[in-house]
Structure formats: C-alpha cells, structure tokens
Amino acid sequence: MGRRKLKKIMTVLLSIFCLLGTLIPDWTSNAADNSLSLEQAYICLPQIRIYVNGAENYGELDPEQIEVYRGETQLSLAGIQKFSDLDEGIAYYILLDISGSIRDSYFTDIKSALQTFHSELSEKDQMVLITFGENVTVQLTGEESKEEAAAKIAGLNNRDDQTLLFEALAQAGDMASALSNQEYKRKAAIVISDGEDIAKGKSTKDEALKELKSQGLPVYAMAVDYEENQIIDSFGEFARNTGGSLHIFGQGGVLEGLQSIRSRLQSSDVLLLESDSNNASQSMETLTVQFDQWNLTKTIETGFYNWQADEEVPQITGIEQDGSNKLKVTFSESVSGGENVTNYQLKDTADGTVYTPVSIEDGENNCKILTFEEEFYTGDYTLVTVNITDVSMEKNLVEEGGDISLEGRMKESKAVIFLRNHGYLIAAAVVLLLLAVILLIYQKIKKNKGVVVLDDKMIMASNIDVKRHVAMEQKKQQGVILIFTMHTQGRYPAKMEVPLNSSLIAGRSDICDVYFDDEQMSRQHFALEYEEGTVSIMDLDTTNGTMVNGVRIQTKRKLDKKDRICAGTVEMTIDWRECDC
C-alpha cells in the first residue's frame, strides 16, 4: 500500500472520529431525557403531586407497585393520571438572554419562535417573559393579549454586555412563589441562553438553585449550539439538578425546542398523593418514589411551605370496653396529645367519680388503648378529653368525648364504702364517747361523796341527811398577791393585783383567770404557778409565743420580781408579796 493511499485512509478515519465526537453529546443528552425522572413536585398539603417523565420507555405505571415516602412516612397514592387528562394550565416562565453574545440571526429566530409559541398556548396557560442581560426585566406578566405580547417581543434587542442568568432565575422563583398554587399547579422555567453568567455581586448559582427547588420549579435549558461544550455541560447540569433537562438548538430550531418541552410536560405521568395532615415543615424535604416493578428508586428535593386550611374538627368516632380495665378510643384522624394520660377523664355519671388512665398504648387506625388502675364498676360513664388536637397547622381541638356503658364489678353502697374506708374512725369515736361517759359518772359520784344503798336503792351519799360537826376555823392556804404593771404606749402604767395560791391562766378568752382584750394573744396564752414560795411561768403552745425579758420561753421558767412579760401586744412587769389567800 502506497504512502499516499495510507495518508488518505488516515484522513478519512480521523474525520469519522471527529464526527462521532460531535454526535456523542447529543446521544448522551437524549439518553438522559429518555430515562425515568421526577421532574417536579407540587406541594399544597395535604395534597401532593409528583410529575414523572420517561415512564413510557419502561412500560405502564402500576399503582400497586409504587411506594412514595415523605422522609420515613409513607404517603397514600390516590391515583395516577396523564397531565394532559387533568385539563389544567401550565405557567411558563421564559427567561431570554439579551446579551450581545447571542448572534443576531439566532436572536431574530428566537423572537419569532416566542411569538408563535405564545399564540399556540391554551386559554388556561400563562407565559411570563423575563429578559436578562445587564438588568433583569419582566417583559410579559402573562396578562397580555396575543397582539400585545407579539409587539412586546418584536421590540426586544440583544445589545447588553453582561448576563445576569442566575439573578433572573431567582426572580422567576419569587414570581412562581407569588402565583396561586390552586390556579397553577404545574410551573416550568425555560431558559434560552448561551449558559454563561458573568454577574458579580448578584444571585449565585447555589442561591438560584435553592430558590427554584423550594418552589418546585424545574428549569428546561435551551442552549445555542455554538457555545463551548464546558459551558453548555455546566448549564445542562444545573437544569437537571432542578428536575429539568437540556436542549441544544441551532439556527431555526428554537420553536421546535419550545414545542418539545411543552409536549414533554403534557405527556408527564402525575402521581396524585395524600398526606395524613396539612402540617407543613416550612423547610426543604426529600420525596422518595420506589418503582418496584422496575426495581428503580428516584428522589426529589422540594419545599414544604404551602398548605390548605384544615377546617374539619377531629372527633372521637368510637369508645369500646377492652377487658376489665381498658378502653379503646378511636379518633377520626391522627391526633397530638393523645398519648398523655392527663388528657383523659372517665367520669361516673351516677356519683361523679373521675378516673384517669395510668398508661396509653397506640392501636391501629388512629386508636388509643387506655389502661386504668382498677377494674371498672358496672354503670354509665362519660369520657372527656382535653388538650388533644389534630396534627394540622391549625391544631384543631378534638370535640367533646362520648358516653359508654361499662360492665364490671358491682359498686358498693355509699354507707358500705364509708364504713370500709372510715370504720376505724367510728370505732375510735365510740370508745372515746364511752370513756367520756364513764369519766362523767365517776366525777359525779366523787362530787357526791360516793354511792350508798338505802332501802335497796342506790343513793348519792350527799343526798343523805347526816349530822356533821362544822369547824368554826378554816385552815388558810399560803400564796402570793401578784402585782401586774401594764405598760401602754402614751399612757400612765396601769396596775392590777391578782391572788395566786396554786395556778392561774392568762389569755384572750373570758374564761381565763386573767384575760386581756388583745387580738394578738391566744385564747389561753400563758400560765402562772405558785409552789413553795416560787412563782413560775409557762407558755401554752401559742403561735406568737411568750417573752420574758425579751427572750421567748420554751419550757416552764422561774420568775424573779420585776421581770418583764410580753404576750401578744401586751407588755407588763410582774411583782408579788406574800399573803394567806
């Protein structure tokens, strides 16, 4: 083989390899577009939707073999539908690069394609147009007529020096957040650009990505075919991280790309899901979908910020007796606070006795099993709940409890219960009463000098007429005359003399030997005693105490003449003199 011929063959092979190199990115992009993916999630709890693309490349979705989880909690799959069958609109946020890096011939084609795309939208669709270059500007709000939109698009120019791509994406996310979730559940951002962002001091790539994910807004990137592969790859990676895809277009291919994205959105499978509450965490969470029929697991991160108001009040739908000391209480939905024993009261309607459970277990289907300490008595009861709510954002209180008839032990009468619980007190009272009667009889007999039998009758000895010798002189008893000198503020001291031959009691009560009109003194405050020439004082366990010379006495204390006694608010000096009292 000649050298010239070999050179020609090498040139042909090299050309083939170069051609394959230009085709490989498109093949890779198409493969990614055809794979099963979770493109978007709509969250307005308790309603959740997940939009699935590419399932047709595997087969028909089987609801029985699909499991969806919010974190570790499994969601209820209500059904699967094609988006086109839901008869709903799509909110398109189209972001157009108006920098000078977009060639004029391409820009003219882009404007024409946008005019056509807008005219093809249904009445339920909406198209917002945002241009970005040196500034980010909202050109169309979605409220314009087809003629107004066409004129606005025709007047656009590509003359700016900068490209604030991520700033525009962040603004699109803000606008999507403000749009009513009930009006547009499906939203999509379409970015037409060369993918280059040279903004400084504006929104970064990560900030824009976070905002788009929080709103569940996928980005479908449309990149010009003449930009560097590295920039386009980065642009495509960003789009796929939001749940979208990358489409590279050449001259005249913009409209086809827009229509392809619209067709992709319309052909999505929609997983219709229900959460057990509208409790939104106000944070980013991960949704996991397991396609068991194909052994595939896909995840999507989205923001749980929106919810529908829950105006339904939770109720107790059933109360059943479960054994001798248990109740099964079933709620209409999941509740919070149902595990707290203090939030339940079982009231006996006959006598008003209230019982509280000692433990609570979780049953099936929103059921709580309440265990009480003792077996139930047969009778009618009312179960009352407090501080138990549903798990919604509104924390609706459970309605009042219900009535139930229970079977169990026969309840004893009140008299029997009282005797059983307080019989020892009654017995003690009877014994004390008997002792008191005996004591009274003894004192009466002693007072009447005993009992004698006269003519077969018992007669008090004092009632018998007996002659006695009465001594004319009576023995005098030794004692003292107490002299109290009262000290009253603002007055002259007052004196009082009281005989003392044994003992006397002083206090506030008029039954005392010496009593004072002082509310601060106890009814019987202190006692004074005379014994073998000595005068002593003793406090009678009073609250405020008795002071002698400024010191509170604790036990019986001997007094000296001129000692100062304080009881209540009364202050006095005590003195005495000997006498035969």
Side-chain angles (χ1 to χ4, degrees):
M1 181 182 296
R3 182 173 295 179
R4 181 177 296 178
K5 189 174 182 180
L6 180 61
K7 185 176 181 180
K8 287 182 178 181
I9 293 174
M10 292 297 293
T11 302
V12 171
L13 289 175
L14 184 60
S15 299
I16 292 173
F17 280 120
C18 290
L19 180 61
L20 288 174
T22 60
L23 292 176
I24 287 175
D26 287 338
W27 294 343
T28 305
S29 177
N30 290 336
D33 290 343
N34 290 332
S35 63
L36 187 144
S37 63
L38 310 181
E39 292 205 348
Q40 185 181 3
Y42 161 79
I43 309 294
C44 191
L45 294 171
Q47 188 179 36
I48 297 176
R49 290 186 180 185
I50 299 178
Y51 299 89
V52 182
N53 274 95
E56 65 276 4
N57 298 314
Y58 293 82
E60 186 176 353
L61 290 172
D62 184 358
E64 299 296 327
Q65 298 192 55
I66 296 177
E67 296 178 3
V68 184
Y69 294 87
R70 175 187 177 186
E72 296 181 356
T73 303
Q74 185 170 2
L75 301 174
S76 174
L77 179 60
I80 302 174
Q81 282 189 276
K82 287 289 185 183
F83 178 77
S84 56
D85 296 334
L86 294 175
D87 193 28
E88 296 178 355
I90 299 176
Y92 295 94
Y93 294 85
I94 298 182
L95 285 68
L96 176 60
D97 187 347
I98 59 171
S99 67
S101 60
I102 303 296
R103 296 175 183 174
D104 290 343
S105 58
Y106 279 71
F107 197 75
T108 300
D109 180 42
I110 290 171
K111 293 197 295 182
S112 175
L114 289 177
Q115 290 171 327
T116 303
F117 183 73
H118 185 275
S119 66
E120 293 175 348
L121 297 178
S122 71
E123 293 182 357
K124 294 185 178 181
D125 292 331
Q126 184 184 62
M127 184 178 118
V128 176
L129 178 61
I130 302 174
T131 57
F132 61 94
E134 295 175 356
N135 298 293
V136 177
T137 306
V138 178
Q139 303 291 349
L140 299 178
T141 63
E143 304 297 328
E144 297 81 4
S145 66
K146 297 184 185 299
E147 293 75 17
E148 291 172 336
K152 190 70 174 180
I153 293 170
L156 298 176
N157 295 306
N158 57 322
R159 295 290 181 267
D160 287 6
D161 294 330
Q162 296 191 51
T163 310
L164 302 181
L165 169 59
F166 297 121
E167 179 74 8
L169 284 168
Q171 185 162 336
D174 290 338
M175 294 183 68
S177 174
L179 191 65
S180 169
N181 280 310
Q182 295 302 313
E183 185 178 359
Y184 290 98
K185 298 180 176 64
R186 194 77 194 269
K187 306 168 188 175
I190 301 175
V191 181
I192 305 173
S193 174
D194 57 6
E196 186 175 0
D197 185 357
I198 58 172
K200 294 183 178 179
K202 300 290 183 179
S203 294
T204 66
K205 176 180 177 181
D206 291 339
E207 291 172 343
L209 182 61
K210 181 179 179 181
E211 178 66 24
L212 295 169
K213 281 189 173 183
S214 69
Q215 299 304 323
L217 187 63
V219 172
Y220 298 90
M222 295 184 62
V224 295
D225 60 358
Y226 56 77
E227 190 54 85
E228 296 179 7
N229 287 339
Q230 183 179 359
I231 294 177
I232 292 177
D233 289 344
S234 178
F235 195 18
E237 179 185 4
F238 178 86
R240 285 187 290 273
N241 282 336
T242 67
S245 59
L246 171 67
H247 179 82
I248 301 174
F249 68 90
Q251 181 109 21
V254 181
L255 180 59
E256 180 183 355
L258 291 171
Q259 292 171 337
S260 174
I261 293 172
R262 182 174 60 194
S263 176
R264 181 184 179 91
L265 296 173
Q266 291 288 344
S267 64
S268 297
D269 290 291
V270 184
L271 305 183
L272 305 175
L273 303 156
E274 290 287 338
S275 177
D276 59 358
S277 76
N278 70 344
N279 198 1
S281 63
Q282 302 298 298
S283 63
M284 298 295 292
E285 296 187 35
T286 299
L287 292 171
T288 303
V289 183
Q290 295 179 359
F291 300 92
D292 295 336
Q293 61 194 112
W294 303 313
N295 196 27
L296 287 176
T297 299
K298 297 290 182 178
T299 62
I300 185 170
E301 188 179 17
T302 189
F304 280 71
Y305 298 102
N306 302 310
W307 71 92
Q308 303 174 39
D310 183 358
E311 299 177 354
E312 185 175 352
V313 178
Q315 299 177 346
I316 294 178
T317 58
I319 307 174
E320 301 177 38
Q321 183 174 352
D322 183 19
S324 61
N325 66 333
K326 291 185 179 182
L327 288 182
K328 291 176 66 175
V329 182
T330 304
F331 296 91
S332 59
E333 56 184 291
S334 298
V335 294
S336 174
E339 69 286 350
N340 192 336
V341 295
T342 61
N343 290 342
Y344 299 88
Q345 291 183 344
L346 183 64
K347 184 176 182 180
D348 190 327
T349 56
D351 59 17
T353 304
V354 175
Y355 303 93
T356 301
V358 294
S359 65
I360 297 176
E361 304 172 47
D362 288 327
E364 297 181 353
N365 300 321
N366 302 321
C367 174
K368 302 291 182 183
I369 302 174
L370 281 56
T371 301
F372 293 82
E373 186 174 6
E374 298 181 355
E375 295 182 8
F376 296 129
Y377 289 107
T378 298
D380 296 327
Y381 295 81
T382 298
L383 182 68
V384 180
T385 60
V386 294
N387 301 325
I388 300 179
T389 69
D390 60 17
V391 292
S392 68
M393 298 295 284
E394 291 75 17
K395 302 296 182 185
N396 298 307
L397 277 171
V398 172
E399 280 191 343
E400 295 181 358
D403 299 328
I404 183 174
S405 296
L406 300 176
E407 297 293 333
R409 298 178 295 168
M410 294 303 297
K411 183 171 287 189
E412 300 170 330
S413 66
K414 292 184 178 179
V416 172
I417 294 174
F418 182 82
L419 287 175
R420 178 162 49 83
N421 294 334
H422 307 288
Y424 67 95
L425 293 177
I426 296 175
V430 171
V431 171
L432 289 175
L433 181 61
L434 290 174
L435 291 175
V437 171
I438 293 171
L439 181 61
L440 287 173
I441 294 174
Y442 172 77
Q443 288 179 341
K444 186 173 180 66
I445 293 173
K446 183 178 180 182
K447 182 178 180 181
N448 289 275
K449 302 179 179 180
V451 177
V452 297
V453 178
L454 184 64
D455 297 332
D456 296 328
K457 293 182 180 179
M458 296 181 66
I459 301 174
M460 294 294 179
S462 60
N463 293 331
I464 299 175
D465 186 13
V466 178
K467 293 181 179 181
R468 302 180 181 181
H469 171 74
V470 179
M472 296 305 293
E473 292 185 2
Q474 295 183 352
K475 186 178 180 180
K476 294 184 179 181
Q477 190 173 358
Q478 191 69 24
V480 295
I481 299 295
L482 297 176
I483 304 169
F484 294 97
T485 303
M486 311 298 173
H487 301 280
T488 305
Q489 186 175 4
R491 297 180 183 180
Y492 290 105
K495 291 188 177 183
M496 176 176 63
E497 294 188 359
V498 179
L500 173 64
N501 54 30
S502 179
S503 65
L504 65 79
I505 295 176
R508 177 165 50 87
S509 174
D510 58 6
I511 67 172
C512 294
D513 300 296
V514 178
Y515 66 93
F516 301 86
D517 187 13
D518 181 9
E519 293 296 330
Q520 298 298 317
M521 293 183 69
S522 296
R523 294 179 62 82
Q524 294 180 332
H525 202 98
F526 63 89
L528 294 173
E529 293 183 357
Y530 175 77
E531 185 177 4
E532 297 180 355
T534 299
V535 178
S536 302
I537 188 170
M538 178 171 32
D539 182 75
L540 300 179
D541 294 329
T542 60
T543 301
N544 297 325
T546 302
M547 313 285 285
V548 175
N549 297 330
V551 178
R552 182 168 180 170
I553 62 175
Q554 304 295 332
T555 59
K556 184 176 178 180
R557 170 174 171 162
K558 176 185 174 183
L559 289 174
D560 294 325
K561 292 183 178 183
K562 305 302 181 179
D563 277 349
R564 196 177 188 92
I565 299 172
C566 180
T569 61
V570 176
E571 292 188 16
M572 64 196 83
T573 301
I574 189 167
D575 199 352
W576 60 84
R577 65 176 182 271
E578 301 291 336
C579 74
D580 293 329
C581 303

